């Protein structure tokens, strides 16, 4: 019987896969009591190729599942032992893998069979039969590469706009992006909906939240982060953290450790 807790092994995706996959993780979870988490919104989508017991995701019991980008947090609950491979996809990796407009998947989590059909069942079965975690990750990399590269090519102009938003930490106006592309505001929103799943404004909120959370974990003060990341004030920052992460900046900001012997 495996030890309690979460065990993981990570691997970088192969070079050809890196524009579409940012992280591959083999995992196993087993707890003495159910564990409930709020999964924060992030500028990526998650594909779980799982086996073992199902877990609760937004109230649904799922073993292998996937979805699109979200502009809200998602509650998960793990009550029984489970394991598998977790894949972090860029919006364009998800668009190529699933072959559907990403607006249809925004803020949704679905059984992976609904999106990938028999291919997903075959992959999960092969992973379950592979005992070595590094071998599981290598197999996932190889099968994803074949499937993603066979999917529709992403729009290079939307990829450029997405990269600009990421580099700016979400602090870039939609009008500026549209003007740079020579597009109307409406056309930019339409193309973003198809390729990314969220509007540029909603995507910018998620990116800004992720940047702010990262800065807090690095030790920047709440006031510094609010100013650096473009929040109107700390109240605005608090509202965004609650909506996107079910947390507050104060729960993330590192607190001083008590001195030895202090109560």
């Amino acid at each position: 019987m495996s030890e309690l807790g979460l065990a993981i092994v990570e691997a970088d995706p192969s070079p050809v896969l890196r524009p579409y996959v940012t992280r591959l993780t083999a995992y196993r979870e087993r707890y003495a009591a159910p564990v409930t988490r709020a999964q924060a919104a992030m500028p990526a989508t998650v594909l779980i190729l799982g086996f073992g017991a199902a877990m609760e995701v937004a109230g649904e019991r799922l073993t292998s599942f996937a979805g699109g980008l979200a502009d809200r947090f998602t509650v998960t609950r793990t009550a029984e032992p489970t394991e598998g491979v977790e894949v972090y996809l860029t919006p364009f990796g998800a668009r190529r893998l699933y072959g559907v407009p990403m607006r249809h998947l925004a803020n949704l989590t679905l059984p992976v069979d609904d999106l990938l059909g028999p291919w997903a069942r075959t992959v999960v079965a092969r992973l379950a039969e592979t005992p070595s975690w590094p071998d599981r990750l290598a197999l996932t990399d190889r099968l994803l590469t074949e499937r993603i590269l066979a999917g529709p090519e992403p729009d290079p102009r939307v990829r450029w706009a997405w990269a600009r938003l990421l580099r700016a930490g979400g602090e870039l106006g939609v009008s500026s992006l549209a003007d740079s592309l020579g597009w109307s505001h409406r056309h930019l929103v339409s193309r973003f909906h198809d390729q990314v799943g969220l509007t540029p404004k909603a995507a910018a909120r998620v990116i800004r939240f992720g940047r702010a959370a990262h800065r807090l974990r690095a030790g920047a003060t709440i006031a510094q982060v609010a100013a650096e990341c473009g929040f109107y004030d700390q109240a605005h920052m608090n509202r965004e953290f609650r909506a996107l992460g079910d947390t507050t900046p104060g729960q993330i900001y590192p607190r001083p450790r008590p001195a030895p012997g202090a109560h």
Side-chain angles (χ1 to χ4, degrees):
M1 186 68 69
S2 61
E3 295 181 0
L4 294 178
L6 170 65
I8 64 171
V9 171
E10 293 190 355
D12 292 327
S14 56
V16 70
L17 201 57
R18 284 174 195 164
Y20 309 110
V21 172
T22 60
R23 191 169 76 191
L24 294 164
T25 303
Y27 69 89
R28 180 184 296 125
E29 290 188 271
R30 179 173 174 265
Y31 304 106
V35 173
T36 301
R37 301 185 181 95
Q39 306 289 353
M42 59 183 176
T45 72
V46 176
L47 165 66
I48 296 291
L49 299 167
F51 33 93
M55 62 188 297
E56 282 187 27
V57 184
E60 298 289 330
R61 287 185 57 79
L62 301 169
T63 303
S64 293
F65 52 90
L69 262 67
D71 59 1
R72 63 197 68 167
F73 66 86
T74 301
V75 176
T76 65
R77 184 174 184 270
T78 304
E80 300 174 80
T82 186
E83 64 181 294
V85 172
E86 182 178 51
V87 181
Y88 283 78
L89 295 153
T90 69
F92 310 102
R95 180 69 176 85
R96 295 196 79 172
L97 179 63
Y98 305 135
V100 299
M102 292 304 293
R103 66 178 179 273
H104 296 322
L105 303 180
N107 290 308
L108 289 180
T109 303
L110 301 171
V112 75
D113 289 3
D114 289 1
L115 291 170
L116 296 171
W119 183 88
R121 292 192 290 273
T122 299
V123 171
V124 169
R126 291 183 65 180
L127 290 173
E129 294 167 355
T130 304
S132 163
W133 286 16
D135 288 346
R136 284 180 186 173
L137 294 171
L139 176 62
T140 303
D141 189 296
R142 185 167 66 253
L143 296 176
L144 280 176
T145 299
E146 294 171 359
R147 175 86 183 198
I148 286 175
L149 295 186
E153 288 277 357
D155 187 327
R157 293 158 296 183
V158 180
R159 287 183 67 176
W160 176 87
W162 175 257
R164 283 284 307 276
L165 269 182
L166 287 175
R167 285 197 301 271
E171 290 302 295
L172 191 62
V174 178
S175 296
S176 175
L177 281 175
D179 290 345
S180 297
L181 289 165
W183 286 351
S184 68
H185 182 280
R186 178 175 294 183
H187 186 66
L188 175 61
V189 169
S190 174
R191 296 305 298 150
F192 241 76
H193 260 150
D194 176 85
Q195 299 278 302
V196 175
L198 300 176
T199 66
K201 184 176 180 179
R205 284 181 64 214
V206 174
I207 292 169
R208 179 177 59 190
F209 163 72
R211 178 190 174 205
H214 176 77
R215 293 287 292 122
L216 288 171
R217 293 189 187 100
T221 68
I222 294 173
Q224 285 175 328
V225 173
E228 289 175 6
C229 296
F231 295 100
Y232 301 129
D233 52 30
Q234 290 187 34
H236 175 218
M237 187 176 172
N238 283 337
R239 290 194 300 272
E240 290 291 89
F241 269 61
R242 290 187 186 280
L244 297 170
D246 191 33
T247 188
T248 66
Q251 290 173 306
I252 294 177
Y253 179 67
R255 298 177 183 274
R257 295 179 179 273
H263 294 287

